[in-house]
Amino acid sequence: MHPIMSAFPAVNNTAAPNPAPFFAQNLLNPPLPTNAAWQNFALNKGNQSEYVHPYLIQSNHGTLTVSYAARVVNASLIFQVFLANIIISCASSGSHKITHYDDLSVTLKLPGPLMVPLVRGSPYITCIVKGGHLKFSTIHSVLNVYSFNGYTKHKIQFDNGQTWLLYSSVPLQLNSDLSVSGGFLGVLRLALLSDKFNQVADEKERVLDRFSSCYPISAHVDLTAPFRISYKWKTRGWGDLLMLSHSVHRRIMTAPGHDKVISEFGYRSMDGDLVGIVGDSWVLEETPIPITWYSIKGFQSHKEMQRVVSALEQDVADLNPINTTATYFYGKQIARVARLALIAEETHSHSLIPRVREFLEQSITPWLDGTFKGNGFVYDNKWGGLISRNGANDSTADFGFGVYNDHHYHFGYFCYAIAVLAKLDQNWAWRFKPQVYSIVKDFMTVNPAEELLYPRLRSFDLWKLHSWASGLTEFPNGRNQESTSEALNAYYSAALLGLVYGDTDLIGIGSTLAALEMRSAKAWWHVPLNTTVYESEFVQENRVIGILWANRRVSELWFAPAEWRECRMGIQVLPILPITELLFSDVGYVKELVEWTVPALNRKAVGDGWKGFLYALESLYDKDSALQKVKTLKGYDDGNSLANLLWWIYTRGGSDRF
């Protein structure tokens, strides 16, 4: 048991797997990571591959398999095919153990004397061999093996067009069939030199030679200052450290300087080109963003405001008890009502606020005091986290909430509604602060060594700089995330809670993660016509990703086929908030997205809820047209309302029509 208790009752989480098979004994005490980029290594048999940029890595029956994957592209998907390019073992079988993990790495201890620190963004795979007989193999035919530098460097050529470099800290007798003569005690570093798509290798080889002797074994990310992210790698060996950066890194990197960027050295990846950076510490400076309760631009006229007030009065009058016990849909609906309170404040409709406040208090309090009928929040001592009572016994309940799927989505909606109610009622806010902080800390904990109950930033990936929604479910393509806008809502809402409670740390980390999530959404989920991240065949047919996997990009959604473009667009917009304006700041892209989506509306039975999000985007460049189309809607998404749609459109500036 933990030395401090959760604000919610403990539960035996039978839906989640047992972490014991794959974590070293000293790591078994919760909280444990549930949404890490390497989570497959801790699930089921632990033998599904993970994408450790730029390589796919598999640990299976005592072997480590390294793949620089072939890329497959068509109009609806992009993925990398895992092939066993090089297989390494130490003549022992069995499962690996995770002996260390941190913000940017995980270390696997394979059976026998083989330790593998997998550090994301390293152009080399490093193996620390503490004696024993090494084995190398491949699915390819070996064309040539060349030895250099007293058998401490080997060049291996395969019949698939790949050439690999293998460095060793002491001489290694590698034969032409990849067998090894004698034992080995030392460090190995393996790197792809070239493949059939990139045969210009001389300069790349010189770079790999130069930096082969310094290897990272772990890393830490400092988040102390708002909008500033500092990477620091712990290294061994000698010389400077060479790492790879993706495009989001490079856009906000302030250190090392440009003289440490090796622009001619790089690898392709699922996330665009990876480029070499020299140095064992980086500093990333994100552009600060405003965290506001209300619209950024405000209303342009009193007449427009009154039109919103008319819709608002009707929406408040129509409030009815919420008739679902599902955490996701319940959260959406209380967040929808919370929007009404803030719109009432912004439009000076103060007489409407007491009814909304009462509704929120009656709807939220039972979840916090344990009196909610049909579900509730409970604490999982197995992995360390807040889950739903229904999810604790059923891995499919609440969209897999008991196995840590979508935590930032569900709790993001709850946090938004709680933040608004806490703003309206300070007595309520302080009465339920322990429960409120249990909810937000489930996905926003920065220092688990002090806070003890929850892992560090459960959903947020500090290397990719966005969130992963999938939790303790094994997938062949790694973690995934569908809705970036709901992820943004989670961090924005956490920052709002920080405003309510005067918590500058929570404001800082919430706003920082919100800014990074937005930047990554624009880089990888949004697909403008001029993007160079994805191939033209895919770009021509897609303006937005359906589901982004670590090793796959697809057009379909969990709940809809690729042809339902209105759903693909809408899931990247909802919920409509003040911060949505920053997410869709590129109006040129917005117009492309709207025009790409519109033909899908010709399909029968397209829901008005999805149309509402499309018209909200259209208002960014054609307010008059959007207003006329909103008039035709007969319904709205369960997290949206007419008042919220009109609030959004009328705070875009421009026309005075409706």
Side-chain angles (χ1 to χ4, degrees):
M1 294 294 291
H2 290 286
I4 62 172
M5 299 295 292
S6 168
F8 292 93
V11 68
N12 178 25
N13 185 1
T14 60
N18 180 7
F22 297 106
F23 285 93
Q25 189 64 37
N26 64 310
L27 298 181
L28 268 178
N29 291 330
L32 293 168
T34 58
N35 300 63
W38 45 264
Q39 203 71 46
N40 273 348
F41 294 141
L43 299 174
N44 198 9
K45 296 180 180 180
N47 61 354
Q48 283 283 5
S49 64
E50 285 287 23
Y51 191 32
V52 185
H53 292 67
Y55 305 108
L56 283 167
I57 303 295
Q58 182 188 59
S59 171
N60 189 21
H61 297 298
T63 66
L64 185 83
T65 302
V66 181
S67 174
Y68 187 73
R71 190 173 173 104
V72 175
V73 180
N74 62 39
S76 62
L77 63 85
I78 302 172
F79 71 100
Q80 297 181 129
V81 180
F82 181 89
L83 293 174
N85 297 142
I86 294 186
I87 306 165
I88 308 169
S89 68
C90 279
S92 298
S93 62
S95 298
H96 62 256
K97 288 288 186 181
I98 296 168
T99 60
H100 173 83
Y101 60 84
D102 55 48
D103 298 322
L104 306 177
S105 77
V106 61
T107 299
L108 304 183
K109 169 71 168 64
L110 272 65
L114 188 58
M115 192 77 71
V116 185
L118 295 170
V119 183
R120 301 171 72 196
S122 174
Y124 312 85
I125 295 299
T126 303
C127 298
I128 302 169
V129 185
K130 299 182 179 180
H133 188 73
L134 273 174
K135 287 185 176 181
F136 293 92
S137 59
T138 180
I139 64 167
H140 310 297
S141 294
V142 181
L143 300 182
N144 295 291
V145 175
Y146 301 103
S147 299
F148 307 91
N149 303 338
Y151 297 99
T152 60
K153 174 187 172 183
H154 296 82
K155 183 182 292 186
I156 306 166
Q157 295 177 334
F158 296 137
D159 66 345
N160 70 335
Q162 289 184 344
T163 299
W164 293 75
L165 297 177
L166 179 65
Y167 301 92
S168 56
S169 59
V170 296
L172 174 73
Q173 298 292 328
L174 185 66
N175 302 314
S176 60
D177 60 354
L178 298 188
S179 64
V180 177
S181 300
F184 183 82
L185 175 65
V187 177
L188 298 174
R189 305 204 77 196
L190 177 70
L192 180 90
L193 176 60
S194 63
D195 62 12
K196 63 182 179 180
F197 303 104
N198 179 14
Q199 294 293 336
V200 181
D202 289 349
E203 179 58 31
K204 193 170 188 177
E205 183 170 359
R206 283 190 287 270
V207 172
L208 287 168
D209 287 350
R210 176 184 171 192
F211 296 102
S212 63
S213 297
C214 179
Y215 60 96
I217 60 169
S218 62
H220 176 70
V221 179
D222 184 271
L223 296 163
T224 305
F227 305 106
R228 189 176 193 269
I229 308 97
S230 301
Y231 292 178
K232 178 64 177 178
W233 287 275
K234 183 178 180 181
T235 65
R236 290 180 180 169
W238 55 270
D240 293 326
L241 179 66
L242 174 66
M243 298 296 290
L244 298 170
S245 61
H246 56 63
S247 61
V248 174
H249 288 142
R250 296 190 296 276
R251 286 171 189 160
I252 58 176
M253 185 178 295
T254 59
H258 293 296
D259 60 321
K260 299 297 184 180
V261 178
I262 308 179
S263 56
E264 68 276 11
F265 176 86
Y267 292 80
R268 58 176 168 80
S269 81
M270 279 301 298
D271 304 292
D273 291 337
L274 303 177
V275 175
I277 306 286
V278 179
D280 62 5
S281 61
W282 296 358
V283 176
L284 312 176
E285 299 273 1
E286 181 56 279
T287 302
I289 61 170
I291 299 295
T292 64
W293 297 100
Y294 313 117
S295 62
I296 296 172
K297 296 177 180 177
F299 290 95
Q300 303 302 302
S301 73
H302 180 72
K303 183 185 292 185
E304 291 182 342
M305 184 185 296
Q306 285 306 116
R307 289 169 179 160
V308 174
V309 171
S310 296
L312 179 65
E313 290 172 342
Q314 189 62 55
D315 284 334
V316 173
D318 290 343
L319 288 178
N320 289 306
I322 298 171
N323 61 3
T324 179
T325 61
T327 52
Y328 176 75
F329 295 111
Y330 199 100
K332 284 186 72 176
Q333 293 185 50
I334 57 174
R336 171 190 177 275
V337 175
R339 288 290 310 131
L340 301 180
L342 293 180
I343 295 169
E345 287 192 335
E346 189 169 354
T347 59
H348 313 295
S349 304
H350 300 294
S351 63
L352 299 176
I353 295 175
R355 171 69 184 113
V356 179
R357 181 176 63 236
E358 178 187 40
F359 184 95
L360 290 173
E361 194 277 332
Q362 291 174 351
S363 302
I364 297 172
T365 299
W367 285 87
L368 304 188
D369 67 11
T371 62
F372 186 77
K373 304 299 183 183
N375 208 346
F377 294 137
V378 289
Y379 183 79
D380 166 28
N381 280 310
K382 184 185 290 185
W383 287 85
L386 207 59
I387 61 174
S388 65
R389 182 175 289 110
N390 293 346
N393 303 308
D394 181 354
S395 63
T396 66
D398 293 323
F399 295 110
F401 208 62
V403 292
Y404 295 94
N405 289 347
D406 301 346
H407 267 219
H408 57 325
Y409 293 169
H410 300 218
F411 282 142
Y413 283 117
F414 271 87
C415 284
Y416 186 83
I418 289 169
V420 172
L421 178 56
K423 180 178 185 293
L424 299 175
D425 188 339
Q426 285 287 305
N427 289 332
W428 184 93
W430 290 100
R431 175 186 171 195
F432 288 104
K433 184 181 179 183
Q435 292 89 343
V436 171
Y437 265 68
S438 288
I439 291 171
V440 73
K441 289 297 184 181
D442 177 84
F443 66 96
M444 289 295 293
T445 288
V446 175
N447 191 344
E450 292 182 0
E451 298 179 26
L452 299 173
L453 292 174
Y454 306 105
R456 179 166 160 97
L457 298 179
R458 183 184 303 284
S459 303
F460 198 83
D461 184 330
L462 286 166
W463 196 80
K464 277 296 301 294
L465 302 176
H466 65 71
S467 303
W468 297 113
S470 56
L472 300 176
T473 304
E474 181 186 55
F475 291 110
N477 288 294
R479 301 305 91 199
N480 69 78
Q481 178 163 266
E482 192 172 57
S483 175
T484 56
S485 52
E486 289 181 299
L488 172 61
N489 173 61
Y491 304 122
Y492 167 70
S493 299
L496 292 180
L497 278 173
L499 289 176
V500 169
Y501 286 103
D503 186 338
T504 56
D505 290 337
L506 189 54
I507 297 169
I509 189 63
S511 55
T512 299
L513 298 188
L516 293 170
E517 191 80 40
M518 279 195 294
R519 185 177 292 276
S520 293
K522 294 176 182 180
W524 291 309
W525 275 262
H526 297 182
V527 188
L529 278 167
N530 64 355
T531 185
T532 58
V533 173
Y534 304 122
E535 288 83 351
S536 59
E537 182 179 1
F538 184 82
V539 172
Q540 288 302 315
E541 293 297 321
N542 298 278
R543 286 300 148 269
V544 68
I545 298 295
I547 304 171
L548 186 145
W549 301 79
N551 190 45
R552 190 179 179 94
R553 306 290 187 267
V554 297
S555 300
E556 72 265 25
L557 302 168
W558 286 111
F559 62 93
E563 294 75 22
W564 294 16
R565 292 181 176 184
E566 77 284 359
C567 296
R568 239 199 297 173
M569 170 277 308
I571 204 66
Q572 299 298 337
V573 176
L574 61 84
I576 296 175
L577 301 164
I579 203 167
T580 306
E581 181 173 329
L582 303 181
L583 180 60
F584 290 97
S585 59
D586 183 347
V587 177
Y589 166 69
V590 170
K591 193 170 189 294
E592 292 177 3
L593 177 59
V594 171
E595 291 174 348
W596 171 84
T597 306
V598 165
L601 302 189
N602 295 323
R603 204 181 67 254
K604 290 183 179 180
V606 173
D608 276 5
W610 299 112
K611 292 178 182 178
F613 297 120
L614 182 65
Y615 303 153
L617 289 185
E618 186 181 12
S619 72
L620 288 168
Y621 62 89
D622 193 340
K623 182 176 175 181
D624 290 346
S625 175
L627 282 169
Q628 292 306 313
K629 291 170 183 174
V630 166
K631 289 173 64 175
T632 68
L633 297 177
K634 301 296 191 295
Y636 311 93
D637 179 75
D638 56 352
N640 201 12
S641 64
L642 177 58
N644 196 46
L645 262 179
L646 293 180
W647 162 85
W648 168 264
I649 294 173
Y650 279 126
T651 55
R652 300 305 93 210
S655 176
D656 187 39
R657 295 174 56 189
F658 181 61

